[in-house]
Amino acid sequence: QSRLRTTQFWNRRIFNGSTAGDAGSEIDQAFEAGDKREWHLDCPSCGALNLPAWERIVWPKDESVKRGDGWDFGAVKRATRFECAHCKVQHAHTDTVHKAMLAGAKYVATNSNPDPMTVSFRWNALTLSPSVLSWGDLAVEWIKATTEFDKGNEVPRREFITKRLAGLGIDWGDVYG
């Protein structure tokens, strides 16, 4: 409604801010229309830019992080790493690594044919400082959400994808297929 009311102003600016919406929703259409700038992190080892996609987060899934019939979440948190898509070096989420990743970080436009009047930005929880939310914390949250998903409760996993990952890096077909 408010977007339609701005058409009378030649110098209008519209700001849409939200967590990821469903495909085809108004917020999704607004993002897709723009140049789709994605925040990329700089690898401290090779200097290449990395889209902080969930697939870059790795943790052991073997007996080293299991306890009895469940997970040792402390071990998961300690072992979780970000793997560079280019050099494959795995980085722990420390303040030093985080600052190095931000030193060369930047937005990269990913839409080659955007509406020339629209810019759009996206970043997710993987870009946060470890003092705010660590990759290990996110791995634990994912494991818990996946455990609930396996029991038939889709809400925690869907909320993780939309709120933590900004809908990035996970194919909804994989989630619900």
Side-chain angles (χ1 to χ4, degrees), residues 52-106:
W54 186 239
E55 290 80 21
R56 304 270 56 89
I57 301 300
V58 296
W59 67 91
K61 297 166 180 75
D62 60 13
E63 295 308 312
S64 68
V65 292
K66 302 255 173 115
R67 185 178 41 187
D69 62 348
W71 291 84
D72 179 346
F73 291 130
V76 169
K77 287 181 185 183
R78 288 187 298 276
T80 301
R81 302 287 185 266
F82 182 96
E83 183 177 276
C84 175
H86 307 280
C87 69
K88 305 301 183 200
V89 170
Q90 294 184 1
H91 301 282
H93 201 197
T94 65
D95 285 326
T96 303
V97 168
H98 184 75
K99 287 176 185 173
M101 292 180 110
L102 290 180
K106 67 179 185 176

Side-chain angles (χ1 to χ4, degrees), residues 93-95 98 102 125-135 137:
H93 201 197
T94 65
D95 285 326
H98 184 75
L102 290 180
L126 299 178
T127 65
L128 296 173
S129 163
S131 63
V132 175
L133 186 65
S134 76
W135 300 327
D137 291 329

